[in-house]
């Protein structure tokens, strides 16, 4: 069974599928043959979905979680390698993805500066995505090792402090704000657990996935038109104009 068929199984969470599609849309023509990518927080599914259509690429995927996952069990994909730590030295990449990572780092500002200084080429692009709105912080965030959630303005300030110029920014998953708020109230009362893989059927996964994909495409289009709507994920696409000092 090939990767495409396997990824269509109902166990693939609709949120994960919609997230991968949204990130690919945000990157646009940044994805080109021969691109060199550092993907921090990129799992195997996201890497295959976003970069699988490129014949020539070099993707160093740094997996943050789950710690018990064995990297050698990842299905091999030409041009994609998996690791637990950032590359050593000053390896420069055309594109860096930092996805649902900064909220797990106590010194988020210092971490982002380090990645940009050591690993992003001059004029290279950086896409940051983080969970949004501290009001939604709950026992689930604590369980996942999150220190915080962010407003978009905070993400932009972090980018500027790292020497990046924000090209575009916005939110994703607007339709999940109310469900996320309600669940956060429940988690505050002690119902803390990892939701794990999708447990619904194929039809429900398909319908929910399409809803989330439509939700994200509308939010991206509105953000590009200067209309900002809140969502459960904040993102910023940036450019490194300092030139790798």
């Amino acid at each position: 069974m090939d990767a495409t068929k396997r990824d269509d199984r109902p166990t693939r969470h609709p949120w994960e599928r919609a997230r991968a599609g949204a990130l690919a849309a945000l990157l646009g023509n940044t994805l080109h043959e021969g691109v060199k990518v550092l993907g921090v927080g990129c799992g195997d599914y996201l890497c295959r979905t976003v970069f699988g259509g490129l014949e020539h690429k070099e993707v160093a995927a740094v997996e943050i979680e789950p710690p018990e996952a064995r990297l050698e069990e990842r299905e091999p994909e030409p041009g994609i390698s998996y690791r637990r730590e950032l590359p050593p030295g000053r390896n420069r990449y055309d594109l860096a993805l930092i996805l649902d990572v900064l909220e797990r780092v106590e010194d988020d500002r210092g971490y982002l500066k380090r990645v940009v200084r050591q690993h992003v080429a001059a004029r290279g692009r950086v896409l940051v995505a983080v969970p949004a709105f501290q009001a939604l912080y709950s026992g689930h965030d604590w369980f996942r090792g999150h220190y915080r959630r962010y407003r978009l303005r905070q993400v932009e300030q972090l980018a500027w402090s790292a020497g990046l110029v924000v090209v575009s920014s916005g939110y994703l998953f607007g339709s999940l704000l109310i469900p996320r708020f309600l669940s956060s109230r429940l988690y505050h009362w002690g119902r803390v657990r990892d939701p794990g893989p999708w447990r619904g059927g194929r039809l429900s996964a398909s319908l929910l996935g399409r809803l989330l994909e439509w939700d994200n495409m509308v939010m991206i289009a509105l953000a590009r038109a200067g209309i900002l709507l809140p969502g459960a994920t904040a993102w910023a696409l940036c450019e490194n104009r300092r030139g790798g000092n």
Side-chain angles (χ1 to χ4, degrees):
M1 181 181 296
D2 61 32
T4 301
K5 292 180 180 178
R6 180 167 45 258
D7 290 338
D8 283 338
R9 293 182 303 179
T11 51
R12 181 60 62 185
H13 202 288
W15 177 89
E16 190 178 8
R17 298 173 63 174
R19 173 178 179 252
L23 294 176
L26 290 174
L27 292 171
N29 59 11
T30 304
L31 301 177
H32 56 80
E33 292 294 334
V35 68
K36 187 177 180 182
V37 182
L38 173 64
V40 188
C42 293
D44 54 346
Y45 171 75
L46 191 145
C47 283
R48 293 197 309 272
T49 303
V50 176
F51 306 113
L54 299 175
E55 184 175 355
H56 304 289
K57 66 217 176 239
E58 180 184 335
V59 180
V62 181
E63 297 204 46
I64 304 301
E65 67 164 5
E68 67 274 11
R70 299 179 61 185
L71 298 184
E72 60 269 23
E73 293 179 352
R74 298 305 189 197
E75 181 179 352
E77 168 79 25
I80 300 177
S81 61
Y82 299 95
R83 55 190 305 133
R84 287 288 182 208
E85 303 291 339
L86 290 171
R90 291 179 175 268
N91 295 289
R92 305 289 187 182
Y93 295 86
D94 307 312
L95 171 65
L97 308 182
I98 305 177
L99 309 177
D100 295 312
V101 170
L102 294 181
E103 70 274 12
R104 306 170 189 272
V105 181
E106 189 169 5
D107 181 13
D108 54 354
R109 189 179 304 268
Y111 185 89
L112 183 58
K113 284 184 176 179
R114 174 191 170 194
V115 172
V116 173
R117 185 184 307 115
Q118 296 186 2
H119 301 300
V120 182
R123 315 297 292 192
R125 290 291 178 97
V126 179
L127 178 60
V128 176
V130 291
F133 298 111
Q134 187 64 21
L136 299 181
Y137 190 93
S138 69
H140 176 67
D141 290 281
W142 176 86
F143 179 80
R144 299 296 293 271
H146 298 179
Y147 288 96
R148 66 194 77 82
R149 300 174 71 94
Y150 297 82
R151 286 186 174 272
L152 184 59
R153 181 67 176 176
Q154 294 172 303
V155 180
E156 294 172 338
Q157 289 173 341
L158 279 174
W160 293 330
S161 72
L164 299 171
V165 174
V166 177
V167 176
S168 57
S169 60
Y171 291 99
L172 297 172
F173 296 107
S175 63
L176 295 183
L177 267 183
I178 293 178
R180 184 68 182 82
F181 175 79
L182 294 176
S183 68
S184 73
R185 299 309 96 189
L186 292 175
Y187 284 129
H188 272 308
W189 288 98
R191 294 176 57 180
V192 179
R193 63 183 178 87
D194 189 339
W198 178 252
R199 295 180 175 85
R202 182 183 298 273
L203 179 60
S204 60
S206 177
L207 292 175
L208 181 55
R210 288 183 180 275
L211 172 63
L212 294 177
E213 289 168 4
W214 178 85
D215 174 17
N216 285 337
M217 292 304 102
V218 170
M219 295 195 73
I220 291 171
L222 290 175
R224 287 172 172 169
I227 303 172
L228 188 64
L229 297 179
T233 293
W235 61 270
L237 180 62
C238 313
E239 184 170 277
N240 181 22
R241 296 184 182 172
R242 285 191 176 178
N245 294 325

